[in-house]
Amino acid sequence: MPETLAYSAAVRSALELLLEHDDRVFLAGEDIGVYGGAFGVTDGLIDRYGPERIRDTPISEDAIAGMAVGAAITGLRPIVEMQFSDFVVNAMDPIVNQAAKLHFMYGGKVEVPMVVRAPGGGGTGAAAQHSQSLEAWFAHVPGLKVVMPATVQDACDLLLSAVADPNPVMLLEHKLLYKTEGPFVRPKAPTDVTEPLGSARTTRAGTDATIVGYSIMAVRALEAAEQLAERGIDAEVIDLRSVRPIDHNTVRASVRKTGRLLVTHEAPTAGGVGAEVVTGVVESDALDYLLAPVQRVCGLEVPMPYARDLERAVIPQVEDVVDAVEQLVKA
Amino acid sequence: MPETLAYSAAVRSALELLLEHDDRVFLAGEDIGVYGGAFGVTDGLIDRYGPERIRDTPISEDAIAGMAVGAAITGLRPIVEMQFSDFVVNAMDPIVNQAAKLHFMYGGKVEVPMVVRAPGGGGTGAAAQHSQSLEAWFAHVPGLKVVMPATVQDACDLLLSAVADPNPVMLLEHKLLYKTEGPFVRPKAPTDVTEPLGSARTTRAGTDATIVGYSIMAVRALEAAEQLAERGIDAEVIDLRSVRPIDHNTVRASVRKTGRLLVTHEAPTAGGVGAEVVTGVVESDALDYLLAPVQRVCGLEVPMPYARDLERAVIPQVEDVVDAVEQLVKA
Amino acid sequence: MGRNARRDPRSLPARVLTNMWRIRRFEEALEELFSRGMLHGTMHLSIGQEATAEGACGALTDGDFITSTHRGHGHAIAHGGDPMLMMAELLMKDTGYCRGRGGSMHIADVAAGNLGANGIVAGSMTIAAGAALTQSVTDSGRVVLCFFGDGAANEGSFHEAVNLSAIWKLPVVWLCENNLYGMSMAQELSTAGGSVANRAGGYGIEGLAVDGNDVVAVHDAVKGAADKARSGNGPTIVECITYRYRGHSKSDRNLYRTQDEIDRWRDQHDPLARFEQRALDSKLLTEGDISACRAQAAADITEAVRQALLQPDATADDLLESAYA
Amino acid sequence: MGRNARRDPRSLPARVLTNMWRIRRFEEALEELFSRGMLHGTMHLSIGQEATAEGACGALTDGDFITSTHRGHGHAIAHGGDPMLMMAELLMKDTGYCRGRGGSMHIADVAAGNLGANGIVAGSMTIAAGAALTQSVTDSGRVVLCFFGDGAANEGSFHEAVNLSAIWKLPVVWLCENNLYGMSMAQELSTAGGSVANRAGGYGIEGLAVDGNDVVAVHDAVKGAADKARSGNGPTIVECITYRYRGHSKSDRNLYRTQDEIDRWRDQHDPLARFEQRALDSKLLTEGDISACRAQAAADITEAVRQALLQPDATADDLLESAYA
Ligand SMILES: Cc1ncc(C[n+]2csc(CCOP(=O)(O)OP(=O)(O)O)c2C)c(N)n1
Ligand SMILES: Cc1ncc(C[n+]2csc(CCOP(=O)(O)OP(=O)(O)O)c2C)c(N)n1
Ligand SMILES: [Mg+2]
Ligand SMILES: [Mg+2]
């Protein structure tokens, strides 16, 4: 029987399992110790695992990520936290120029098994520098994997898989998801989970349109589909889960069935992951099945504003998805 | 009568014009003074304009870009150089969190008229950390404009327009273009040029397929089109010139005419600007005109290798475009 | 423009004291509004740190610039910002400093010399260097005062900005508000070398540490540093030791420090109480003057809130045109 | 593994001298191959800096690690790297250290303790801190020696890495090769505070400057720093003053310095000539020994080139599977 757990607790349970079962694993980040992390994810861990394995760092994102690279190539399994994903701007060199490239650049003779956890997204009134969704940057970098769990179970499982992976993985959580609750089957050991990185999940089968989302927009997409069902529209919902690599086959198969595609993410529309999803469809034969132009329901092309109504206007809401699918099906 | 000039000299001529006509303009970057810049673009400028306006900086990319933000909001017009676009990883905070957002975030009461020039791309054997094409990152950031001149004339004109623009502009040049030569009409004053940022240019009219490229791939696309013409295929070529904003209308109009679309860039395929171009088409009625799945001829999904043959394999070549268009037209 | 543009006929000590009380009352008003659910997001209050903001900005001259931090309300007020426009911003009003787009962490008034609060730790330091470069090349005679926290001193941006300012002899004052913690991280644990001022030597510039809860000490140190910067002799790091009474932000449970420590600072080192006592002792102000200052500050903030609440709400109407100039 | 694993029965001075000559001959061989169009890209030669590489790596113990820079050939050889495998890499061979994927700026031999050259200035510094953390938490008794240039000392990464190493007392030696220039930028103009070693004080650690062209002085300083690190007493900055005779890279026209300056360093301070003289004077080596060392080095590099040229070319066959482990 699954228990009910909060998303942040599920992340924590994965961290605990890892710390318990693998000596090489350690955590590092700003205020992850006694403070418990800005979003409480690491709450209590320092008491059980001590300051050597739950490492509070100075406010030095470049050093946090770079240190993780160095620790990873010498045998440890660092899991580092960027307090907000926005601060990853200060760690682009170690992540993109180092972690992502070392394995290739050094002729395959080194592995960089590190995970960077970073909470992204808006809706908290924290404005432009604390609300970004930057996954598209990393999804464009060969050598990285990028996962974005939407459910409580995935919050745990994808983290376990990320740490098991010999490659650097960006694990981007959404701040508003931390407090969401859902069914959770607690793994007994990290190896219990064999969820591969890179597979999408169809969270609702349907015939009229395909909605592809990830992270919080996978959740909203599902809500939208339920509302659409009441209006007689039967939408299929795909939770991408991984934005690098992207499981194009699952999307294509769905589009061949429904003939209609809507992609949704919170990041700004232009140049977002949605464009890659769409292109994956129309560069395949699935193009022939499209009955109408594709739709994107994504973030508006502005930095995130502070004021509640403005912020809400920028972030795609359930009703935006509902409206867009209705139009799509009418088209 | 246009003279013939090298691309790098055209960039320099824009810089000279600006320095000559506008006291607020200054240049800053690593080794741009007596060294003349890593690619010789600023050669000789320090002799004419002195070290206050041609500022050699320490190796501090974050400070270079951040300083430019501060100078711009207080009335100067900084043009800074990232020695290689790869090093912009160290300047993501000032560019993305500051320059791009201040105008919006401060309620419209400040302007950030700065230009970041950065040479990108491979083909020089400089390997993974000196060959990247990172435009897709910036193309995804509201508040920035991103231009990528392919021709000698545009190398000058788009820089003049970028400096005239009240917004932060990323001007990404391609290293291999610096030595290319082409016709050049020298503007007399910065204001002679009114080339708007954000418009594409159709560099060859054709009826069988649309090839969209930018920067060096706009050049290769044109070469490919000429070869295709010999094989009886009449391709239309669009030089995007700006990747944020993207001139979707020009692309759509072309696709409505040709029914076939190929996009090409040197950056890795997944999550690249090409996906945005494609999506701009298939979220419009131009979808209905597509006679075949779209094609992408872009960088392979690996960091840039050093060895000549491997590097060549990763970077799209003229023949790759030719082959892909042939297939596209057959499809 | 700037703080001294507000003509206030009272004595300097009265103005200083009133301003410090304004800062405190402003923060308290925010707490109150927050608890009533009238604000969005979180905020970083500077209660306990008023002397640093006021002492530093008070040492500047009309036309000088500041850059500020995530904990920036005090800086804005001390630099002459209008509490009503700040409050309007926090209350998501269209007439707020940032039209409701910025909120607590982004209050700016560039025209008046406040180049803006910044949500990125140390993010304003390189910007301050650039603003100082403008002053230097235009011979404006103005200086830039850059506030940053003790935690910010461990960001790479600190290093690059300070180095640049030193080699270019930029007219900037690096004002470190060392409130002993960067969020939960004790400054002494995060910062090798002991103090932030101590790092100045590595850049060949002067560094000094002062009691940040002594408004006069702060003023004097900044005045000296600003004069030096103004006369072309480059930057100084002025480290002000101070303390914040409230948590880092709204989500802080204060687990990394003791209540005792907080109480000690509040009861024994409060910058307002200390300045009042000093002004009384040296007969600069009477008990009556002090009461008047307090009352003035309270009234100002009450009025600011009242006015702000009447302002029109921020609107999404022109949102899509707002990202570009 | 590491350099001392290569068993060489000759005396220490002979080995040191041979190694320095190997570095120089390697670089010269590259120049030759480059001029014949057999290399791709550019390269950064360390001719003139051999004593720093050799002195530093020679002070390490088997199993110790280094991180290297864009100017890393000397480091790799000094740390026991195989010149044949290096040459094969530069000649784009499949058996090169990086299978032809890395080239000059990315030579690494992680298994043997060379954690890699790095094309990003200061990019290896935070990596070195992390590698040192591994040593610290696993009690390996090993240290990490991080080479970086004078120019790198102005990157934010320098600051963050050194601070982290100091507060965590990591077993790392920060080895600055101060060759007076970062590309065209004179170190004295770019680096406030005068010297890189001088910055150590700001982090509460020891910093020392030594004559980087004196292999014994470098060795001794690094030995001390490594011992200190190994015994849990944290990092040291060792600044080695040295000079590169060649341009920064192949495109350098040397406009930022005089030929006279170059000549002076080469004629009066050459690290090889100085060590030879010293060894002669102190009767550690005879003229004959010295000739033998030179001949050995030359032969080694000639053979390395010959062998490397015979290796199979790097192949794109498995390129697409190469980005991920
Ligand atoms: C680059 C960056 N990293 C981390 C944060 C999260 N954060 C905000 S304030 C803060 C503490 C800052 O400490 P300090 O500089 O001492 O300022 P104080 O809060 O004490 O005023 C942290 C970690 C941030 N906003 N930006
Ligand atoms: C982050 C970054 N910025 C700039 C460069 C370009 N670059 C390569 S080496 C170099 C000079 C480095 O100087 P220094 O650290 O003194 O090393 P040296 O070349 O003198 O050995 C520069 C500017 C780079 N590779 N990486
Ligand atoms: Mg603090
Ligand atoms: Mg150097």
Side-chain angles (χ1 to χ4, degrees), chain C residues 185-208:
Chain C
M185 182 52 126
Q187 185 265 332
E188 57 188 2
L189 298 180
S190 67
T191 315
S195 84
V196 178
N198 182 39
R199 292 197 167 159
Y203 307 101
I205 63 174
E206 198 187 345
L208 30 113

Side-chain angles (χ1 to χ4, degrees), chain B residues 133-146:
Chain B
S133 300
L134 298 172
E135 64 273 11
W137 291 357
F138 303 106
H140 186 49
V141 176
L144 295 180
K145 297 189 179 181
V146 188

Side-chain angles (χ1 to χ4, degrees), chain B residues 9-67:
Chain B
V11 177
R12 183 163 52 249
S13 75
L15 296 173
E16 282 166 344
L17 264 187
L18 290 159
L19 287 159
E20 212 58 67
H21 283 81
D22 190 342
D23 277 354
R24 302 168 303 172
V25 170
F26 72 100
L27 276 47
E30 294 158 12
D31 309 290
I32 65 164
V34 62
Y35 197 102
F39 298 93
V41 171
T42 54
D43 201 20
L45 294 184
I46 195 168
D47 299 330
R48 287 174 47 198
Y49 300 100
E52 293 247 311
R53 298 189 72 195
I54 313 295
R55 288 195 171 250
D56 271 322
T57 65
I59 311 177
S60 308
E61 291 80 11
D62 183 22
I64 294 168
M67 173 278 293

Side-chain angles (χ1 to χ4, degrees), chain B residues 26 55-56 58 60-63 66-67 69-71 74 76 93 97-98 103-107 109-111 142-145 166-167 244, chain C residues 96-99 101-102 106 108 110 115-118 120 123 126-127 130-131 133-134 137 157 160 163-164 167-168 319 322-325:
Chain B
F26 72 100
R55 288 195 171 250
D56 271 322
S60 308
E61 291 80 11
D62 183 22
M67 173 278 293
V69 176
T74 51
L76 301 184
D93 182 59
N97 282 341
Q98 314 295 341
H103 175 73
F104 179 88
M105 204 161 71
Y106 292 168
K109 289 167 198 154
V110 67
E111 296 182 353
L144 295 180
K145 297 189 179 181
N167 299 289
R244 183 179 188 96
Chain C
Y97 269 123
C98 310
R99 303 192 57 217
R101 281 131 171 85
H106 305 300
V110 174
L115 297 178
N118 208 306
I120 299 298
T126 57
I127 296 178
L133 178 67
T134 302
V137 300
S157 306
E160 296 191 12
N163 183 57
L164 201 72
I167 59 169
W168 289 355
L319 205 53
S322 303
Y324 293 91

Side-chain angles (χ1 to χ4, degrees), chain D residues 149-151 177-183 244:
Chain D
D150 50 289
E177 293 182 290
N178 180 352
N179 58 9
L180 311 196
Y181 297 92
M183 205 156 156
R244 64 168 155 74

Side-chain angles (χ1 to χ4, degrees), chain A residues 30-31 59 61 83-84 87 90 130, chain C residues 44 49 69-71 119-121 148-153 155 177 179 181-183 244 248:
Chain A
E30 293 158 13
D31 309 290
I59 312 177
E61 291 80 12
Q83 194 165 79
F84 284 69
F87 311 154
N90 285 343
H130 285 73
Chain C
H44 307 86
Q49 306 186 183
T69 68
H70 58 285
R71 198 176 304 287
I120 299 298
V121 167
F148 67 103
D150 50 289
E155 284 281 9
E177 294 182 289
N179 59 7
Y181 297 93
M183 205 156 156
R244 64 168 156 74
H248 167 71

